Amino acid sequence: MKFFLDTADIEEIRRARALGLLDGVTTNPSLIAKEGRNFWEVVKDICQTVQGPVSVEVVGLNATEMIEEGKRFAKVHKNVVVKVPLIEEGIQACRELVSQGIRVNVTLCFSPSQALIAAKAGATYVSPFIGRLDDISQNGMDLVRDIRTIYQNYGFKTEILVASIRHPLHVVEAAKAGAHVATMPYKVFNQLFQHPQTDLGLERFLADWNKVKDKIFPEQISCL
Ligand code: G3P
């Protein structure tokens, strides 16, 4: 499974990249707005910080605007993936951008039928928003499983990029469901490492070791 960060914060991207576990980044207008910096500079900085796909979302509401925006985004860096919303105009834009060799992430997917449409339109990625489905008492992970079944049935190449991830269990469940990518906030990325028993175990090992280390672990290796 590929790990993407869902952020436009360069510092977070740097920290995740340093661990060698980061495969890409997704952004959306809300995340970029949060940075309060020049849009083009933010996109360029992200592309220079991560080696992998960087999703950048259009804000136009008709296909012509989306296609124009998408073409401009794609010129910024070869790793840019154009993100379009799963509405009729977005699907039209997806087809056109894909036909021009530009990769597309179809976002705001909330149903299996929408995911089927995205795949038929040649999307590189489809982004089911699982947290927002959970928010309204629908099981977000059921959607991921349904999409996986449908894509397998027909051999669609579109990758399932699970978005709106809120906690580590979402990542685990998405992996069990066979999703290709999980995009997550930096906080969740960090939480993937954590287990209280790991911390406790380490604390105990070190406490035992420190009690005797001067006796059994001299600085000089005299017996070798
Ligand atoms: O990329 C989509 C993601 O940022 C949405 O997450 O937590 O706002 O539903 P959330």
Side-chain angles (χ1 to χ4, degrees):
M1 167 181 258
K2 285 173 265 188
F3 285 171
F4 288 5
L5 270 196
D6 194 32
T7 186
D9 182 325
I10 299 295
E11 205 35 55
E12 290 182 348
I13 298 168
R14 277 204 192 105
R15 276 185 250 146
R17 187 198 60 184
L19 288 161
L21 297 174
L22 186 62
D23 301 301
V25 167
T26 52
T27 66
N28 59 40
S30 309
L31 292 170
I32 297 214
K34 217 166 82 182
E35 294 307 295
R37 296 202 289 131
N38 177 297
F39 169 84
W40 300 103
E41 279 174 17
V42 174
V43 173
K44 209 169 72 184
D45 286 353
I46 296 173
C47 291
Q48 285 169 352
T49 308
V50 64
Q51 283 191 334
V54 175
S55 289
V56 184
E57 189 160 345
V58 299
V59 290
L61 282 179
N62 64 60
T64 312
E65 285 172 5
M66 290 183 204
I67 293 162
E68 278 318 304
E69 276 182 82
K71 279 160 57 177
R72 288 181 75 196
F73 294 172
K75 283 190 189 134
V76 175
H77 195 279
K78 64 175 172 43
N79 286 344
V80 165
V81 174
V82 178
K83 215 168 163 186
V84 301
L86 215 160
I87 56 178
E88 281 184 29
E89 299 281 337
I91 291 302
Q92 214 179 316
C94 173
R95 288 209 76 89
E96 179 56 29
L97 290 166
V98 167
S99 78
Q100 296 188 27
I102 295 170
R103 290 179 296 167
V104 175
N105 175 356
V106 178
T107 190
L108 290 167
C109 173
F110 291 93
S111 77
S113 63
Q114 289 181 316
L116 179 56
I117 294 290
K120 283 181 70 68
T124 316
Y125 302 102
V126 67
S127 291
F129 273 37
I130 57 167
R132 292 191 194 183
L133 280 170
D134 290 354
D135 286 346
I136 55 163
S137 303
Q138 286 183 23
N139 188 336
M141 213 50 70
D142 282 348
L143 172 59
V144 176
R145 285 185 275 269
D146 283 348
I147 299 173
R148 179 90 176 132
T149 303
I150 292 168
Y151 284 10
Q152 267 177 344
N153 285 349
Y154 296 97
F156 285 124
K157 296 279 181 279
T158 302
E159 295 197 5
I160 306 168
L161 191 165
V162 178
S164 187
I165 279 178
R166 304 280 173 75
H167 48 70
L169 204 50
H170 273 155
V171 180
V172 173
E173 290 296 324
K176 282 161 69 177
H180 303 86
V181 188
T183 190
M184 64 200 93
Y186 183 70
K187 179 176 166 241
V188 174
F189 176 76
N190 260 329
Q191 287 173 327
L192 293 178
F193 289 84
Q194 292 163 17
H195 197 288
Q197 287 295 349
T198 304
D199 298 337
L200 193 59
L202 192 58
E203 199 181 304
R204 281 191 196 151
F205 286 154
L206 291 179
D208 291 342
W209 176 254
N210 285 330
K211 276 184 226 155
V212 296
K213 77 162 187 236
D214 291 340
K215 256 189 281 174
I216 68 168
F217 196 66
E219 292 287 322
Q220 302 298 326
I221 310 172
S222 52
C223 59
L224 296 180

